[in-house]
Amino acid sequence: MSVVNSKEHHIPPFAQDKLGKLVIDENTLAQKIKDLGQEITQDYLGRKILLVGVLKGAAYFMSDISREIKLPLQMDYMAVSSYGTATKSSGVVRIVKDLDLDLSDKHVLIIEDIVDSGLTLSYLQKYLHAKHPLSVETCCLFLKTGNQKVDLDIKYIGFEIGQEFVVGYGLDYNEIYRNLNSLYQLNQDQM
Ligand code: 5GP
């Protein structure tokens, strides 16, 4: 059984002592994803669109936003691993899973969970541009304001959030917490 906190918010028992502040609740996430989906649907009308989801963090976002884009689309996934600690990326990126589909006649839309320094996304954008698709744009759900170390072009942004480390809705700490429906800070003593 899950408990309900003062905001009528369900947190499963395994996570109850581990989480800090609720950052974005599941209804707010769902509404924003609907809005982003509508905007993308209008922008890409009549164009061949390929969504490129970045595993594993963007798995839920990819699943939800793809169903809010009311167009015929293709989906593919990449997995990258970024050298660094559990909470900070170094910008040195290794491709763990590459694309299966050919990009030559596609408009590519990168579906990314969170951008912090921006180094991972910058690498991915360059990598995908080099395959010469018709276009490359990015849709990122969470952007950590002011942390970017590189200039980035991000066409669709869900939420700008603070610098704190967050988990839930696909985002992990040591591979745990991805399956929470909302986005939370992690208790400092868990890190
Ligand atoms: P960047 O290269 O932009 O610094 O980092 C991007 C990657 O770092 C994300 O794809 C994600 O894997 C990880 N990351 C950055 N900030 C957070 C955070 O607050 N929570 C979690 N779970 N991962 C994060």
Side-chain angles (χ1 to χ4, degrees), residues 89 113-120 144 164-166 171-172:
S89 90
D113 47 357
I114 188 163
V115 172
D116 183 11
S117 70
L119 294 169
T120 307
K144 287 192 170 171
E164 311 80 17
F165 192 80
V166 288
L171 294 175
D172 72 310

Side-chain angles (χ1 to χ4, degrees), residues 54-58 80 82 86-93 112-122 144 147-149 152 161-168 170-174 176 178 183-184:
V54 185
L55 295 172
K56 305 172 194 168
V80 294
S82 145
T87 60
K88 277 264 166 302
S89 90
S90 65
V92 181
V93 174
E112 176 67 295
D113 47 357
I114 188 163
V115 172
D116 183 11
S117 70
L119 294 169
T120 307
L121 179 60
S122 171
K144 287 192 170 171
N147 257 11
Q148 286 69 63
K149 293 188 182 145
L152 281 176
I161 62 170
Q163 318 263 323
E164 311 80 17
F165 192 80
V166 288
V167 295
L171 294 175
D172 72 310
Y173 179 67
N174 286 342
I176 311 289
R178 293 189 196 278
L183 189 76
Y184 302 87

Side-chain angles (χ1 to χ4, degrees), residues 8-166:
E8 295 291 302
H9 192 76
H10 296 266
I11 300 174
F14 80 89
Q16 273 160 23
D17 304 331
K18 314 279 193 315
L19 301 178
K21 206 178 87 184
L22 170 70
V23 180
I24 304 169
D25 70 70
E26 60 182 294
N27 294 331
T28 310
L29 284 173
Q31 186 55 55
K32 176 67 77 177
I33 293 167
K34 224 180 228 314
D35 294 346
L36 285 170
Q38 263 178 17
E39 198 183 335
I40 293 167
T41 302
Q42 282 160 12
D43 291 353
Y44 282 85
L45 216 59
R47 295 204 274 166
K48 263 191 189 166
I49 177 172
L50 170 67
L51 304 183
V52 174
V54 185
L55 295 172
K56 305 172 194 168
Y60 294 110
F61 183 35
M62 178 78 154
S63 160
D64 286 342
I65 196 156
S66 58
R67 287 173 292 170
E68 298 297 344
I69 300 172
K70 309 297 182 187
L71 296 172
L73 55 76
Q74 292 183 323
M75 296 163 71
D76 206 344
Y77 295 89
M78 286 185 74
V80 294
S81 102
S82 145
Y83 293 101
T85 64
T87 60
K88 277 264 166 302
S89 90
S90 65
V92 181
V93 174
R94 184 169 60 98
I95 293 178
V96 177
K97 187 220 165 289
D98 206 342
L99 295 171
D100 297 325
L101 301 176
D102 175 49
L103 302 191
S104 51
D105 58 345
K106 314 274 166 55
H107 290 278
V108 169
L109 182 58
I110 302 172
I111 302 295
E112 176 67 295
D113 47 357
I114 188 163
V115 172
D116 183 11
S117 70
L119 294 169
T120 307
L121 179 60
S122 171
Y123 176 88
L124 273 175
Q125 287 178 335
K126 284 194 194 113
Y127 180 82
L128 292 170
H129 268 298
K131 293 185 177 284
H132 304 294
L134 296 175
S135 66
V136 179
E137 298 289 358
T138 300
C139 176
C140 131
L141 188 55
F142 309 117
L143 175 71
K144 287 192 170 171
T145 319
N147 257 11
Q148 286 69 63
K149 293 188 182 145
V150 278
D151 273 342
L152 281 176
D153 181 12
I154 307 180
K155 186 159 186 189
Y156 307 96
I157 297 172
F159 301 91
E160 298 205 10
I161 62 170
Q163 318 263 323
E164 311 80 17
F165 192 80
V166 288

